[in-house]
Amino acid sequence: MNKKENFISDITTGYSSKGDSIILGGAMLDGEPIAEAHVKIPLKTLNRHGLIAGATGTGKTKTIQVFSEQLSSAGIPVLMMDIKGDFSGIAKEGKEEGFITERHAKINIPYNVSAFPVELMSLSKQNGVRLRATVSEFGPVLFSRILDLNDTQAGVVAVIFKYCDDNKMPLLDLKDIKKVINYITEEGKDEIAASYGKISTATTGTILRKIIELEQQGGDLFFGELSFETDDLMRIDENGKGYVNIIRLTDIQDKPKLFSTFMLSLLAEIYQKMPEKGDADQPELVIFIDEAHLIFNEASKALLEQIETIVKLIRSKGVGIYFVTQNPMDVPSGVLAQLGLKIQHALRAFTANDRQAIKKTADNYPTSPYYKTDELLTSLGIGEALVTALNEKGIPTPLVATMMRAPMSRMDVLSQSEIDEINGKSKLVKKYAEEIDRESAFEILNKKLTEAAEVAAQQEEQAPAKSSKAGPSTTEVVTKSVLKVVTSATFIRGVFGVLTKIFKK
């Protein structure tokens, strides 16, 4: 066989699948698409996570759109982080253009326009399904890691959670935990010391400042009720298509702490609540994390370890996570090692550092007799990518340059009226629209302090009515104690003053 025949045989064999699969596009050899060789990814392996990388303008967004459409068509729900606001068009049919039909003819894949069921979600006050979680749901360990606390500070947070559990005081939002910190530092410090040990005010002060930092990045909007239920991500429409849940994050690009907080809490919640699936025929949910560097760049070491652990374990729950970034080096090596599917769009080499990064990137991919990977990485066109995946036996597939298929939905954002139309029909928007502020730690402690103040005031009123034989009043005792302390302090300062003079001689 000649080179082309060998190539078709290798790709067809490498990307064959006994079970259901999705088609990403057609294989390319020497820069030309090969109509007989399609790049198919088995549904069974999509919980093995993946990476979609490439320079700006090389086609990552359209690849995510294609991937999401294929998953939705297979009845698999999708959750995607929309940092730049590019994905809302999935809700509307695309338009058949000449260049698109020509592209599909080259790779021998029919082109049909289609719309997909979409839910628009938000962490802030943008229109859409409001996403919230309570402080209690995070738990002391995860909450401490979000705040990047040391062991001593994390121990205090654990005491706070235990105290609130013991006293039936729910921690729902940030004002709750701030109130508890103020209470155990001031009025309740003796109560805490008696039951849980003394707590340093310097430690609680540091924790409080970290919480305020999170609050300033929008945490006050995220923490609270009604908590979002992860089951609402798993919906299928009446036509058997999985919902594409788009979290609109265009207004939190400068708030990486909030973004990483949300992502870690969501992954932890999904992991805790979903049952073990093992090797199922297809995933229960696929998550796309766009601009993944926003998580990793700002994450502490403890937070990175937590993310790596969840990525390792969550695939057994039937969940696939796909990180989207410009350069694979943006993803920590411990996470990168867990990614079974890699879709690499073109990289640009403008500097010596760029060329070194490209060489390192090329080393992350299998060698191929058909390509010089480092050279190909800089010559791929828009909508073309290097692909390697896992077959149904978990064996890496051959590296293949791929002409990606075009999205079937609109390759543009929706207008505001179209967004309003989607939100108006959404059952989830109505479900999560109401903000609930039930009695929690903040209200309970305020009530407790108010009652204590009233009791103290009543005692103070009754004190003058007592006979002088009953002994000195509270005011007299306090005054004498203060005078005693002041006198002692004056004496001590005097002694130190004398000693200072002696040592100076």
Side-chain angles (χ1 to χ4, degrees), residues 258-275:
L258 177 60
F259 183 51
S260 58
T261 297
F262 163 71
M263 276 311 309
L264 191 53
S265 69
L266 179 68
L267 295 178
E269 185 82 2
I270 290 172
Y271 177 74
Q272 290 170 6
K273 291 192 174 180
M274 290 187 66

Side-chain angles (χ1 to χ4, degrees), residues 5 15 25 50 114 119-120 136 195 197 229 238 241 244 299 308 311 346 351 426 428 457 467:
E5 290 171 337
Y15 288 88
S114 180
E119 285 286 0
L120 300 174
S136 292
S195 300
E229 298 174 11
E238 63 278 5
K241 290 183 177 180
V244 180
E308 186 176 334
V311 169
T351 66
S426 170
L428 296 188
S467 171

Side-chain angles (χ1 to χ4, degrees), residues 435-447:
E435 290 189 30
I436 300 173
D437 191 14
R438 61 187 171 98
E439 187 178 66
S440 54
F442 181 84
E443 289 80 13
I444 292 171
L445 286 177
N446 273 340
K447 184 178 180 181

Side-chain angles (χ1 to χ4, degrees), residues 456-499:
Q458 290 174 0
Q459 291 175 345
E460 190 69 25
E461 288 175 2
Q462 294 170 1
K466 292 183 178 179
S467 171
S468 58
K469 295 180 181 179
S473 69
T474 304
T475 304
E476 290 172 332
V477 171
V478 171
T479 303
K480 288 179 180 179
S481 298
V482 170
L483 287 172
K484 185 177 180 181
V485 170
V486 170
T487 304
S488 300
T490 304
F491 172 74
I492 291 169
R493 284 200 301 272
V495 170
F496 275 105
V498 172
L499 290 175

